[in-house]
Structure formats: structure tokens, C-alpha cells
Amino acid sequence: MTNTILAKNEIAKYLNSGLNILTFDEINSTNDYAKKLAEKRPDTAILIVADHQTAGYGRFKRDFYSPSNTGIYMSLLLPINKIETDLPTLKACVSTVKALRLNFPNADLKIKWINDILLNNKKISGILAESINDGKNGIAYVILGIGVNLNTTDFPLEIQDIASSITDSVTVNRNKIIADIVNEFFKINHAENFLAEYIRFCGTIGKRVELVNGNQHIVGTAEKIKSDGSLVIKDDKKNLHCFNSGEITKVYLK
Ligand code: BTN
């Protein structure tokens, strides 16, 4: 693979505005690093990017496969007294899809509610938003963790059927795509129509799905996404159920 080497000055070159950037060859997890940084109470946004992660993780503490040179593993640490954001997972999904569409215009990307991005029904990207409470005034920082499989080919056996990459091209400009994701995020952060864009990119709506939320297990049709980002599912008895967490474990083709 000959993807671009991650470089702070290259990322900065493509950014629309200044940002503190930290790059690493290897890290356990960019989200974990962001949590440590938050303890120092920075008052500006910080972008942490790594070539590979040894302990990258996603929702439900699942491993996020993060090999060297073929993916994007980034976290944006946002002090929310300076940079307010609501529905960060949804916003990060929209920004990532938009940035990927800019760079791969032929890729038919779909969001799987709530935090996955799929290409041909396989996951090519996952988002993990975490918040840090300051113990007094509530949420002090939001961490947006974004992982993208750009041209990864050697997925572990257990995820080979469900994971994929966005391209088989061997030359991808990771620095530009990282900057595009950040630029898109800051563009939509206060945009009123971002939810409409999330819904437009969301492949879950209208599909028959199975959702697991703790002990709850429901099969039905994904009806809509509400303004708070929750998913409404209509079961076979026509009862409506609203979820703001949980995981779609199956999407039926018919
Ligand atoms: C998921 O699939 O549930 C979300 C995956 C999020 C992975 C990214 S990679 C960068 C950041 N660091 C992590 O450890 N996780 C996120």
C-alpha cells in the first residue's frame, strides 16, 4: 500500500480553519488518548490521529480493527463550553459520509442507524461519540471517534463477512480525507438541515429490521428517525417503539 503518511502539516493544509493536531504512528486508542487529554482541561478542540491502534474500540466495547497504513483512526476532542454540539454521533456520521462521497463519488454509502456506515451492506466505518462529565456542570467534553477502512484487505476471520473497505485503490490521501471529515463536521455542526441529510443517507428507514437493546429484542419496520435521533420501529402488531440506543442486528432484504 502506498497511502499517504499521516502528517500534521498536510492535514492542516486541507483544513478550513486552524486546529490543534496530534499524530501518532501507534496508539492504543485515539478515543482513550482524548479522554486523558480532557483531564488537562484544554479549552480548544484537538484532533488526534493515528496510523494504527493496538486497542481501538467501538460501541459495546467491541474491538475496532485498526491496522497500519490502510485506515483512518481519528478522534476530535471538543470542549463543549466553546464548541457546543448535540446529536454528535449523527453529525459525525453525516460529516464522514459527506467527506467520503467527496473523495469516492461512486461509492453508494449508507448509514446504518445509528453509527455505522455501510458500502454494499458491509461496514466500512464506525463512529463512537463519548462524553466526559466534569462532575459539576454536566458534560464538559465530547469525543468524536471515527474509524474508516479505506483499503484494508486482511480483516480477521470473525469480521470478514461484515466488514469491508471503501476502495481497492492503493493510493489514498488520508490527510485530505481526515481534514474533509473535520471540515464537514464544523460546517454542519450548527446547520439546521443536518438531520434531513442523516435521514437521506440512512439506509435503515423503510426496511424490516431486528433491533437489540439490552434484553429487548424487536422485529419490525424502521418507520422514521425523530428529531432527537431516536429510531421508531413498527412491530407486526402495528405498535410503535422508539429507541435512542440499541443496535440493528439484522436488516432483512424483503
Ligand atoms: C463502532 O464501530 O461501534 C465504532 C467504532 C469507532 C472506532 C474509532 S477508530 C478511532 C477512535 N478510537 C477508538 O478506539 N475508537 C474510535
Side-chain angles (χ1 to χ4, degrees), residues 170-205:
V170 292
T171 49
V172 177
N173 187 343
R174 289 188 290 177
N175 296 310
K176 175 178 183 304
I177 300 172
I178 290 163
D180 286 342
I181 294 172
V182 174
N183 289 337
E184 293 296 338
F185 175 79
F186 285 117
K187 264 194 244 165
I188 65 162
N189 190 26
H190 297 294
E192 286 186 0
N193 66 346
F194 101 87
L195 195 63
E197 292 193 292
Y198 183 93
I199 292 167
R200 182 157 65 88
F201 296 138
C202 184
T204 310
I205 308 300

Side-chain angles (χ1 to χ4, degrees), residues 28-32 53 55-59 64 66 72-75 115-116 123 125-128 145-147:
N28 56 356
S29 150
T30 55
N31 266 36
D32 269 351
Q53 300 183 118
Y57 61 93
R59 287 176 86 209
F64 188 83
S66 313
I72 288 175
Y73 318 110
M74 59 186 269
S75 299
N115 69 318
D116 287 341
K123 175 164 169 168
S125 171
I127 314 290
L128 179 67
I146 300 170

